[in-house]
Amino acid sequence: RESSMQFSVKTGDLTALAADCLVVGVFQNRELTRAAETLNTASGGKVLEAMREDGFSGKSGETQLLLRAPEIAARRVLLVGLGKREEGRNFRLEKPVRAKNGVHALNGVLGDDEARAAQDIVTDFANAFYRFDACKSKKEEDARAPARVALHATDSYAALRNAIKAGEALAA
């Protein structure tokens, strides 16, 4: 299977990352990943406050959109529920998030294994937007699939590029 999605790696200060949408995971019972904790600290606790006010708990597949969070450069922050932390390696994006100029923060999603998280996200996106069209004479691009997906992490750039290549190979 061929994918038209392009994956890239972003590094640096998560709060200063200019993006239309920053996608950050939160475990069940509002247990913050390192990325979510970074944003919550920078915003003076506004991330957790918004989660409490809106009843967001971090259950698998649950989402909450934050607009213009203070001290965060991204226009929007999308919190994505990851379910129970104990389930660890079974982490999967039930519904990969399509965000124009979106950046997915990997920090703390699978403990310290950001490369594995990157590989899993690449395969999750490929599987979510896969369409069988081998028997069609006219193949159409899936308008739902994002053209570009950026992954933010603190691991080495080279390790994440290799993880993205591995994810693309697994999804092929």
Side-chain angles (χ1 to χ4, degrees), residues 25-172:
V26 176
F27 291 105
Q28 197 164 316
N29 299 320
R30 297 186 190 102
E31 186 181 346
L32 303 178
T33 58
R34 283 194 314 272
E37 183 63 46
T38 298
L39 298 180
N40 188 56
T41 300
S43 68
K46 296 292 184 190
V47 172
L48 265 175
E49 184 181 310
M51 289 172 22
R52 283 188 196 101
E53 286 176 4
D54 295 336
F56 179 86
S57 67
K59 290 180 185 171
S60 184
E62 187 178 22
T63 59
Q64 179 177 354
L65 186 65
L66 307 176
L67 302 172
R68 308 265 184 219
E71 305 303 321
I72 298 171
R75 288 184 52 225
R76 297 178 300 254
V77 174
L78 182 65
L79 303 175
V80 177
L82 302 176
K84 295 178 183 175
R85 180 185 286 275
E86 301 85 56
E87 294 172 2
R89 283 250 182 246
N90 297 325
F91 162 74
R92 279 284 177 259
L93 283 175
E94 286 185 6
K95 299 174 188 170
V97 178
R98 180 179 183 266
K100 183 181 177 188
N101 191 21
V103 177
H104 294 256
L106 304 176
N107 314 48
V109 171
L110 287 176
D112 293 324
D113 197 349
E114 292 178 352
R116 176 60 189 262
Q119 178 179 315
D120 287 350
I121 285 176
V122 170
T123 57
D124 288 345
F125 266 87
N127 290 332
F129 295 110
Y130 172 72
R131 290 177 49 176
F132 179 79
D133 60 3
C135 297
K136 292 185 175 182
S137 58
K138 184 179 177 186
K139 296 176 176 143
E140 297 176 16
E141 285 292 316
D142 187 350
R144 300 172 305 137
R148 292 188 201 121
V149 177
L151 306 174
H152 178 274
T154 56
D155 276 357
S156 80
Y157 180 85
L160 289 174
R161 285 301 316 154
N162 288 337
I164 289 170
K165 288 178 185 175
E168 290 172 331
L170 286 170

